Amino acid sequence: MTKEQAERIKELRMQGKGYKAAASAVGLSRDVVRNYCRANGMEGYGEAAKLNLQREMADNGAAMPGA
Protein backbone atom coordinates (compact mmCIF):
# COMPACT_ATOMS: atom_id res chain seq x y z
CA MET A 1 0.00 0.00 0.00
CA THR A 2 1.33 3.38 -0.96
CA LYS A 3 1.14 6.52 1.15
CA GLU A 4 -1.32 7.96 -1.37
CA GLN A 5 -3.58 4.92 -1.06
CA ALA A 6 -3.49 5.16 2.73
CA GLU A 7 -4.43 8.85 2.62
CA ARG A 8 -7.25 8.15 0.16
CA ILE A 9 -8.61 5.37 2.39
CA LYS A 10 -8.67 7.78 5.32
CA GLU A 11 -10.47 10.41 3.21
CA LEU A 12 -13.05 7.88 2.08
CA ARG A 13 -13.63 6.63 5.62
CA MET A 14 -14.08 10.25 6.73
CA GLN A 15 -16.83 10.47 4.12
CA GLY A 16 -18.52 7.42 5.63
CA LYS A 17 -17.54 4.97 2.89
CA GLY A 18 -17.26 1.28 3.68
CA TYR A 19 -14.35 -1.08 3.16
CA LYS A 20 -15.58 -2.30 -0.21
CA ALA A 21 -16.05 1.19 -1.64
CA ALA A 22 -12.65 2.30 -0.36
CA ALA A 23 -11.01 -0.83 -1.75
CA SER A 24 -12.52 -0.25 -5.19
CA ALA A 25 -11.40 3.38 -5.19
CA VAL A 26 -7.75 2.62 -4.37
CA GLY A 27 -7.37 -0.70 -6.19
CA LEU A 28 -6.76 -2.92 -3.19
CA SER A 29 -8.67 -5.87 -1.78
CA ARG A 30 -11.38 -5.30 0.81
CA ASP A 31 -9.41 -7.37 3.31
CA VAL A 32 -6.28 -5.21 2.92
CA VAL A 33 -8.36 -2.06 3.43
CA ARG A 34 -10.18 -3.57 6.41
CA ASN A 35 -6.92 -4.63 8.08
CA TYR A 36 -5.40 -1.20 7.49
CA CYS A 37 -8.47 0.49 8.96
CA ARG A 38 -8.48 -1.77 12.02
CA ALA A 39 -4.80 -1.08 12.63
CA ASN A 40 -5.37 2.67 12.38
CA GLY A 41 -8.56 3.18 14.40
CA MET A 42 -10.93 3.38 11.44
CA GLU A 43 -12.79 0.10 11.95
CA GLY A 44 -16.51 -0.41 11.85
CA TYR A 45 -19.32 0.47 9.50
CA GLY A 46 -18.71 3.48 7.28
CA GLU A 47 -20.82 6.03 9.16
CA ALA A 48 -19.65 4.78 12.57
CA ALA A 49 -16.03 5.07 11.46
CA LYS A 50 -16.72 8.59 10.22
CA LEU A 51 -18.13 9.64 13.58
CA ASN A 52 -15.25 8.01 15.46
CA LEU A 53 -12.68 9.80 13.29
CA GLN A 54 -14.45 13.13 13.75
CA ARG A 55 -14.52 12.65 17.52
CA GLU A 56 -10.84 11.69 17.58
CA MET A 57 -9.87 14.72 15.52
CA ALA A 58 -11.92 17.02 17.76
CA ASP A 59 -10.25 15.55 20.84
CA ASN A 60 -6.83 16.15 19.25
CA GLY A 61 -7.75 19.66 18.12
CA ALA A 62 -7.20 18.84 14.45
CA ALA A 63 -9.30 20.31 11.65
CA MET A 64 -11.44 18.10 9.45
CA PRO A 65 -10.02 17.63 5.95
CA GLY A 66 -11.95 19.74 3.49
CA ALA A 67 -13.61 21.80 6.23
Side-chain angles (χ1 to χ4, degrees):
M1 174 183 310
T2 66
K3 185 176 180 178
E4 290 80 19
Q5 287 172 317
E7 287 296 319
R8 184 72 178 132
I9 291 168
K10 186 172 183 177
E11 290 171 9
L12 291 165
R13 296 295 283 170
M14 289 292 295
Q15 295 171 13
K17 303 296 183 194
Y19 300 132
K20 189 174 179 180
S24 293
V26 298
L28 297 171
S29 74
R30 181 191 61 87
D31 290 337
V32 168
V33 171
R34 184 189 66 218
N35 290 337
Y36 172 77
C37 290
R38 285 181 178 175
N40 290 283
M42 296 181 280
E43 65 274 323
Y45 292 103
E47 286 298 318
K50 176 182 173 181
L51 294 173
N52 288 337
L53 287 169
Q54 288 173 342
R55 186 177 305 120
E56 180 182 318
M57 292 181 88
D59 290 346
N60 292 334
M64 287 275 299

